[in-house]
Amino acid sequence: MRAWYRNLDPLVLIAWLGLVVLGLAAIYSATNGVAAEFSDFEPRENFDKQVMWLGISLAGILIALALPIRFFQVSGFPIYIVTVLLLLAALAFGREVNGAKSWLYFGSIGLQVSELAKVGTILAVAQLVGIRRPKTMDIRFALMVVGLILLPAVLIVLQNDTGTALVFFGLIPIALFWSGLELNLLLLMIAPAVAGYFAIVSMPTAIVFSVLFTGFMWWKTRDRRIGVITGLFTGGTAAVTTLAITTLLAPHQIQRVLAFTNPGAEEFRLGVGYHQVNSMAAIGSGGFSGKGFLQGTQTQGGYVMEQSTDFIFSVIGEEFGFIGSMIVIGLFSLLLIRIVMLGANMKHPFGVMVAGGTAGVYLIHIFINMGMATSVLPVIGIPLPFLSYGGSALLANSALLAIVLSLHLRRDDFSIYGY
Amino acid sequence: MDESRSRVRVFTALILVIFAILALRLVKLQLIDRQSHTGASQDNSMREHRVQAPRGRFFDRNGVLMVENEPTYSIFITPQYFEEETIPLLAELLSVADTTMTRQVQDAKKWSMHKRTLLRSGVSVEELGLILEQRHRLHGIDFDLTQKRRYLTQARATHALGYVREISDKTLHKRVEEGYRRGDAIGKAGLELEYESAVRGRVGAEYKMVNVKGQVVEDYLGGERNHAPVSGNELNLTLDADLQAFAESLFVGKRGGVIALDPNNGEVLAMHSAPDYNLEMFTGYLDAEVWDEVVSAPEKPLFNRVTQSVFMPGSTFKPLVALLALHAGAIDAKTKVYCGGGHPRGRGQFFACLDTHGSINVVEAIKESCNTFFFEMMRIMDVNSLNRFATSLGFGSSPSLDIAAGEIADGRIPDSTYFNSRFGPAPQFWNEGTTMNLGVGQGDLLVSPLQLARYMAALSNGGKLVSPHLVREIVNLETQEVVRPNDQMVEQVALNPVYVRLVKEGMARVVSEESDWLQIPGIDSYGKTGSAENSRADGDDSVFILAAPAQNPTIVLAVLVENAGFGSTAAGPIGSFMAERYLTGRIDPKRNWLMNLMFEKNSAPMVAKSE
């Protein structure tokens, strides 16, 4: 028998290692660069803390790799319940950081419980899917999946951490997707969101999208009812969104929503658009090869707020340029596609859901975070997996990855239910 | 199985689509729009730090360093980082009123939120120390080591040198293309103003990277784009610092002015207008109240009496009238005029002379300063001849001088047109009786000391009308190139040397025979005293012109002492002492008593004439 570690997937590990190293470099630059002596917004010790959390995460990974499949299958619900309790505790006793009451402190170590809740939620959903082993979806089952995810999501909304809550909301279609929901229904769920986005960015695009998509659904299903519903969903969302940003919302809310479409505009650039103007200036001025490690003027000048956490990508974009950006995208692509493939390899709904959920959560994080840093999306404060400073996120994301690797390592131990 | 595989494919496609969107966005940001984002990031983090160039130094005609620079500190504000609640602290540290500071901060904001603006120049090391102690509280406040003027000799030469101040908004708007920026220094008067472009030098630049709070982090691009300032050109002046200082000491307590020229080339050896003001006040922080006091003082210290003040020349005009009559052939050396104590043909009145001179020729008339003789000259000459002749000798129009452009007085030499418009057509309304008093330098004549000195120079150098100037050479330190900007400006006046010699003889006898106070021991000279009526009620002004040595003059001067009576009692000795000091480097001890008398002499307080 081969040594267990020989079955570890090297590509995933390489991608993980590459991202973590890049992240540490960027965090070092943001916190220990030439500007560090002036910097009270990016404490030097954050780099050391991140290294410490990397150690903790490594330990977590090793533990997860040592645990049998059974453990994860059995502990899914208990972990979920514990994380929900922790979320409640954070609501009750938590400390408010940046307006969100999502931190629990154990001595000097703070835990962002909402990050850990992702692990519990994915395991619980996977366990649900594993137990039910449905050949086809039924509505009750779908509602249970949705409920499992909505509970922590609502708690996180109550904590006022909308960014992280958004990840949970995004997890709903992904979980349904991996648990076998009909693709048409899934498309129907996602389409209004796309239509709404287009309505904000450009009304004509939204109309074209709604018409084309409705036509596509009608053509695909040959079902007039589906066509009508699709049309109502997409067109309705676009209309409601337009109405909201023109009349319904308060001016400051409208500003927040619209700012990302033109953050440099006079009315936004010093207010809600400030982050994105400076983030784009940092990334754009990096050019093809970047300004060099510790040489980014935006980074070293501290112009991008939250540059070691939510806007870590601006550091990479500025100092390592387009090459650095593409390396990040390449590593993420490798990591995500590989995780999905590992999941498929497991040939068991539990494994598929854990891997698919993990990849999904990463994808949402990456899209929202990098979209925000490059002004494709509005400012939504969530970290970039493995790159952003933040111990809880690093631990949670590493744990999810380790669980996927661990399950894949022992995929032969899955009972041969399969699909 | 197939279902599962297709879902993997769909999800993989989703991943690739999302990453493709992000990658395309990055292509746009980092490759296509790179330039504009680079600009945006530079606007943020790069600050151009202007390094002021040391202004050119001034040397006197003997190579004595008169004006150089010394380091000083300037405090700057960058409003975007500045917190308004620190205004009281800053005001206290710079010892100004809160309201003043508030106004300065508002002004700076109006100019630019993110550019540095000069808040205060001339800050001492001690003041700077106090500010640095509070630096952590004073965001957006920083300092530069800059240069201020330093004056090294006893000579103040206030009106000649002029001063440097922070550029005004008005000037800035006009000259921003020449590279001036808010907070830059610019010459505001005198040589500093006139030779601004020569002495200014080239401003250097340091590009600094600043962080979001405006703190300088490091040199931008390691300093590769920095360039050092280039010092301004040096000026070799025509002034004699020692003579200048001596002139200033003689004018303590007096109002008036003196200008000494080298008659051969128009070089200004000394120029002083009293009272003056202290140039040192511009090297530190200039309090508005102090400045207002200078501006509004009744003695008008900003007014350059040498170039701007005009008055009736009195008897100093008599040599000119004599020359006019000689050149016109109206008289010759032997022509005599009878002086019975005055001239009977004045306009309805008897014009008095100071004495009864009897029959008198032109040389004696100049020596005695006989009014009757010169009334008669103007009776037989017409006023237009006088106008033409005096104009050819530089009167009636502003002489060129390489400072104070546009502020030099024209004076006035009347002609028939003038009298026609004043009184009505001749002869019903005016006749030669009206113009006779021009012959003694009274009436509607107005001249300035600068014009008198120039006229004296023309008499002394064979009729060359020189252009007085203060700068002999402009020296470019980099190229060692020397420019002489004032060399070729001389007009020739047709003067007959025989007549000039006659006039000079009379003037020489003024010095040697008329008063003990005018003679320079061991050196012959010629000159003419005068007392000029003025518009004030406090007494005549004392005027004196002099050239020495008589054989080949190397110095001519014109002296004006306001309301000090006869020329021989104040202006005369002052002129004599200055020539002696210039020619011998000392004052004969035998004349110390007289010099002390001059030191102690004061102009009477100013009294405006009552209506």
Side-chain angles (χ1 to χ4, degrees):
Chain A
M1 188 183 158
R2 299 208 297 171
W4 64 268
Y5 53 84
R6 298 241 171 161
N7 287 323
L8 270 180
D9 188 72
L11 290 176
V12 168
L13 285 176
I14 286 168
W16 175 81
L17 193 66
L19 289 166
V20 166
V21 167
L22 254 174
L24 282 179
I27 292 166
Y28 183 85
S29 180
T31 58
N32 284 256
V34 283
E37 60 178 298
F38 300 104
S39 176
D40 48 16
F41 30 80
E42 296 285 354
R44 274 170 199 268
E45 60 269 24
N46 279 5
F47 177 76
D48 307 331
K49 277 194 196 168
Q50 185 73 356
V51 172
M52 179 197 83
W53 274 106
L54 183 58
I56 293 174
S57 300
L58 264 174
I61 289 173
L62 289 177
I63 292 170
L65 286 178
L67 293 172
I69 286 178
R70 234 9 249 153
F71 173 82
F72 299 112
Q73 285 180 310
V74 172
S75 62
F77 285 127
I79 290 178
Y80 176 80
I81 290 163
V82 169
T83 52
V84 168
L85 288 176
L86 283 173
L87 285 172
L88 285 169
L91 258 178
F93 320 110
R95 192 181 296 182
E96 204 170 301
V97 176
N98 290 334
K101 209 172 179 187
S102 52
W103 291 77
L104 272 184
Y105 272 79
F106 304 97
S108 65
I109 297 175
L111 269 185
Q112 199 181 354
V113 186
S114 49
E115 287 292 336
L116 300 184
K118 290 188 293 198
V119 184
T121 308
I122 287 176
L123 283 179
V125 171
Q127 197 171 354
L128 182 67
V129 176
I131 292 166
R132 294 279 309 202
R133 278 169 282 133
K135 283 287 179 197
T136 50
M137 287 288 292
D138 64 49
I139 292 298
R140 254 190 64 209
F141 177 75
L143 285 179
M144 283 172 74
V145 170
V146 172
L148 266 183
I149 302 174
L150 268 185
L151 176 60
V154 167
L155 289 176
I156 292 165
V157 168
L158 290 177
Q159 290 174 350
N160 201 20
D161 185 357
T162 13
T164 312
L166 205 61
V167 177
F168 281 83
F169 291 124
L171 188 58
I172 291 174
I174 287 170
L176 292 175
F177 172 85
W178 287 115
S179 48
L181 184 71
E182 234 185 293
L183 277 178
N184 291 340
L185 285 177
L186 210 57
L187 283 175
L188 209 53
M189 284 178 67
I190 298 169
V194 178
Y197 174 80
F198 281 138
I200 295 170
V201 177
S202 145
M203 195 58 210
T205 316
I207 294 169
V208 170
F209 171 79
S210 300
V211 171
L212 285 183
F213 187 73
T214 306
F216 167 76
M217 289 298 281
W218 193 359
W219 169 80
K220 191 161 177 267
T221 58
R222 314 271 166 183
D223 184 337
R224 189 177 299 167
R225 278 179 315 169
I226 295 282
V228 171
I229 292 171
T230 314
L232 284 177
F233 270 34
T234 51
T237 316
V240 167
T241 309
T242 310
L243 200 63
I245 61 174
T246 50
T247 48
L248 289 181
L249 293 175
H252 73 275
Q253 291 170 317
I254 297 173
Q255 280 215 337
R256 273 201 81 92
V257 175
L258 289 185
F260 82 95
T261 60
N262 185 11
E266 209 49 55
E267 64 266 41
F268 300 139
R269 61 175 305 120
L270 290 177
V272 285
Y274 178 87
H275 292 74
Q276 291 188 315
V277 166
N278 280 294
S279 174
M280 284 204 295
I283 295 168
S285 64
F288 182 72
S289 53
K291 296 178 186 171
F293 183 50
L294 302 181
Q295 302 298 314
T297 54
Q298 291 281 98
T299 301
Q300 301 308 326
Y303 287 95
V304 187
M305 300 291 142
E306 316 275 340
Q307 59 180 358
S308 67
T309 54
D310 294 348
F311 279 93
I312 193 76
F313 187 68
S314 75
V315 178
I316 294 168
E318 180 176 34
E319 300 201 339
F320 305 123
F322 185 69
I323 296 176
S325 307
M326 288 305 116
I327 289 175
V328 169
I329 288 186
L331 289 174
F332 274 137
S333 309
L334 176 64
L335 184 72
L336 265 60
I337 292 171
R338 195 68 199 152
I339 288 173
V340 172
M341 285 167 65
L342 294 185
N345 262 344
M346 294 178 209
K347 301 188 174 77
H348 187 280
F350 182 83
V352 171
M353 177 51 76
V354 170
T358 300
V361 164
Y362 290 170
L363 186 64
I364 296 166
H365 269 276
I366 294 162
F367 184 50
I368 290 181
N369 182 288
M370 287 176 64
M372 154 184 90
T374 55
S375 271
V376 174
L377 295 173
V379 174
I380 298 161
I382 57 170
L384 192 55
F386 305 112
L387 293 168
S388 288
Y389 167 73
S392 309
L394 180 61
L395 180 60
N397 289 325
S398 299
L400 283 172
L401 188 66
I403 292 169
V404 173
L405 285 176
S406 180
L407 295 179
H408 180 253
L409 206 62
R410 303 184 176 81
R411 58 189 180 278
D412 297 339
D413 296 354
F414 276 117
S415 48
I416 316 160
Y417 291 119
Y419 286 113
Chain B
M1 261 320 125
D2 284 349
E3 167 72 4
S4 157
R5 285 206 183 283
S6 84
R7 291 201 177 226
V8 167
R9 246 180 269 136
V10 168
F11 199 80
T12 305
L14 179 68
I15 292 170
L16 291 176
V17 165
I18 285 178
F19 284 168
I21 291 171
L22 293 174
L24 284 174
R25 180 69 178 165
L26 287 162
V27 165
K28 172 133 171 64
L29 282 181
Q30 297 190 294
L31 303 183
I32 299 171
D33 292 345
R34 184 205 172 158
Q35 287 297 328
S36 74
H37 291 300
T38 302
S41 93
Q42 278 183 358
D43 284 350
N44 260 345
S45 55
M46 190 191 73
R47 290 280 177 277
E48 184 188 351
H49 219 80
R50 288 166 75 72
V51 187
Q52 300 293 345
R55 290 176 76 83
R57 300 185 295 173
F58 295 174
F59 295 86
D60 91 335
R61 64 188 292 108
N62 301 313
V64 176
L65 182 56
M66 290 182 77
V67 184
E68 63 166 2
N69 305 293
E70 67 179 333
T72 179
Y73 295 96
S74 293
I75 304 294
F76 290 84
I77 182 170
T78 313
Q80 83 183 95
Y81 310 115
F82 185 73
E83 290 157 6
E84 300 260 338
E85 56 268 26
T86 56
I87 284 179
L89 172 66
L90 192 58
E92 190 193 320
L93 290 169
L94 293 173
S95 34
V96 295
D98 284 10
T99 48
T100 312
M101 188 49 64
T102 309
R103 185 172 43 74
Q104 279 190 286
V105 170
Q106 293 310 323
D107 286 352
K109 277 187 176 170
K110 238 180 279 166
W111 165 253
S112 168
M113 280 304 284
H114 61 273
K115 282 185 186 143
R116 290 166 93 234
T117 302
L118 179 67
L119 209 52
R120 168 74 77 85
S121 58
V123 172
S124 68
V125 181
E126 293 74 26
E127 280 180 295
L128 181 70
L130 292 175
I131 293 165
L132 289 183
E133 277 175 25
Q134 301 289 340
R135 204 179 183 180
H136 60 284
R137 295 167 63 187
L138 295 169
H139 295 302
I141 298 295
D142 62 339
F143 72 96
D144 259 3
L145 183 66
T146 56
Q147 311 277 337
K148 67 171 180 179
R149 279 307 205 188
R150 181 176 179 195
Y151 304 98
L152 292 153
T153 59
Q154 289 290 309
R156 283 150 67 109
T158 303
H159 293 93
L161 298 178
Y163 54 89
V164 174
R165 282 190 82 175
E166 188 191 342
I167 191 166
S168 68
D169 286 353
K170 213 173 112 202
T171 317
L172 183 61
H173 281 300
K174 275 186 277 183
R175 306 190 63 167
V176 71
E177 266 144 49
E178 294 165 60
Y180 287 96
R181 295 292 177 269
R182 200 182 169 89
D184 281 1
I186 188 169
K188 283 286 199 187
L191 294 168
E192 299 276 19
L193 167 65
E194 214 69 26
Y195 290 88
E196 166 70 14
S197 57
V199 300
R200 178 188 172 204
R202 268 208 312 281
V203 178
E206 282 175 3
Y207 296 91
K208 300 282 188 188
M209 209 192 96
V210 299
N211 69 10
V212 68
K213 288 197 233 154
Q215 295 156 314
V216 171
V217 175
E218 59 175 3
D219 274 350
Y220 185 74
L221 296 177
E224 66 177 52
R225 301 220 336 233
N226 295 357
H227 54 89
V230 178
S231 293
N233 297 332
E234 295 190 335
L235 298 186
N236 290 333
L237 306 184
T238 62
L239 288 177
D240 182 313
D242 174 71
L243 182 64
Q244 176 73 28
F246 182 61
E248 288 164 13
S249 68
L250 286 167
F251 267 92
V252 172
K254 304 171 189 67
R255 294 188 309 280
V258 57
I259 180 158
L261 300 179
D262 180 334
N264 301 304
N265 50 24
E267 290 182 352
V268 177
L269 305 174
M271 181 177 84
H272 177 58
S273 173
D276 60 0
Y277 49 96
N278 191 350
L279 292 178
E280 297 279 356
M281 75 180 159
F282 299 101
T283 61
Y285 171 68
L286 177 57
D287 194 64
E289 281 172 31
V290 175
W291 178 239
D292 285 347
E293 247 170 62
V294 172
V295 171
S296 58
E299 294 84 9
K300 298 206 258 182
L302 293 178
F303 184 71
N304 184 349
R305 285 165 163 81
V306 171
T307 57
Q308 290 177 280
S309 117
V310 286
F311 44 87
M312 296 174 215
S315 305
T316 57
F317 209 57
K318 286 172 181 166
L320 182 144
V321 176
L323 274 175
L324 166 67
L326 286 164
H327 278 94
I331 58 165
D332 60 24
K334 299 186 194 86
T335 309
K336 291 206 170 183
V337 170
Y338 178 75
C339 170
H343 199 291
R345 297 283 296 273
R347 200 172 186 241
Q349 67 195 63
F350 181 78
F351 278 1
C353 189
L354 295 169
D355 207 341
T356 307
H357 295 107
S359 271
I360 190 169
N361 68 14
V362 63
V363 172
E364 289 160 341
I366 292 173
K367 185 202 112 183
E368 300 283 343
S369 201
C370 175
N371 285 350
T372 310
F373 184 92
F374 290 99
F375 288 139
E376 178 62 14
M377 292 302 106
M378 272 316 288
R379 193 188 65 77
I380 58 177
M381 297 301 304
D382 75 300
V383 68
N384 288 337
S385 311
L386 174 74
N387 175 277
R388 277 195 299 277
F389 189 63
T391 304
S392 75
L393 282 168
F395 291 100
S397 64
S398 59
S400 79
L401 178 69
D402 54 348
I403 60 163
E407 289 179 9
I408 297 178
D410 286 337
R412 181 171 64 218
I413 304 294
D415 60 5
S416 55
T417 317
Y418 171 85
F419 284 114
N420 284 342
S421 67
R422 184 168 169 195
F423 297 117
Q428 303 99 293
F429 296 96
W430 65 276
N431 55 29
E432 65 277 4
T434 319
T435 59
M436 265 169 41
N437 63 348
L438 301 179
V440 298
Q442 304 289 350
D444 290 328
L445 288 167
L446 288 174
V447 304
S448 69
L450 180 61
Q451 288 171 330
L452 285 175
R454 201 165 165 233
Y455 137 71
M456 201 57 179
L459 294 191
S460 308
N461 63 22
K464 278 188 290 175
L465 195 62
V466 293
S467 291
H469 55 269
L470 288 152
V471 172
R472 181 189 282 166
E473 293 169 333
I474 302 173
V475 182
N476 184 323
L477 286 177
E478 268 184 313
T479 61
Q480 290 303 313
E481 191 189 349
V482 177
V483 176
R484 299 174 66 94
N486 297 307
D487 263 4
Q488 59 291 56
M489 297 156 84
V490 175
E491 291 167 55
Q492 187 65 42
V493 186
L495 292 179
N496 186 328
V498 178
Y499 302 150
V500 172
R501 210 174 300 132
L502 280 177
V503 169
K504 282 185 185 173
E505 187 191 333
M507 291 168 78
R509 288 169 64 184
V510 169
V511 174
S512 57
E513 295 173 25
E514 282 300 296
S515 165
D516 293 339
W517 288 15
L518 304 181
Q519 178 71 47
I520 305 167
I523 295 173
D524 288 336
S525 60
Y526 53 90
K528 186 76 195 80
T529 58
S531 47
E533 293 172 18
N534 60 39
S535 59
R536 301 180 308 269
D538 44 22
D540 286 354
D541 296 338
S542 170
V543 190
F544 183 58
I545 51 178
L546 180 76
Q551 287 315 305
N552 186 18
T554 52
I555 179 171
V556 297
L557 33 80
V559 188
L560 164 73
V561 184
E562 286 181 13
N563 46 31
F566 292 116
S568 55
T569 58
I574 287 175
S576 167
F577 280 123
M578 281 180 63
E580 182 180 4
R581 176 77 167 225
Y582 178 68
L583 295 172
T584 68
R586 58 191 276 275
I587 298 298
D588 191 318
K590 281 187 297 224
R591 294 220 290 169
N592 275 347
W593 67 272
L594 180 58
M595 188 165 66
N596 289 331
L597 192 64
M598 287 302 123
F599 284 145
E600 284 155 19
K601 200 172 183 76
N602 285 341
S603 292
M606 291 178 73
V607 182
K609 195 173 250 175
S610 54
E611 291 298 310

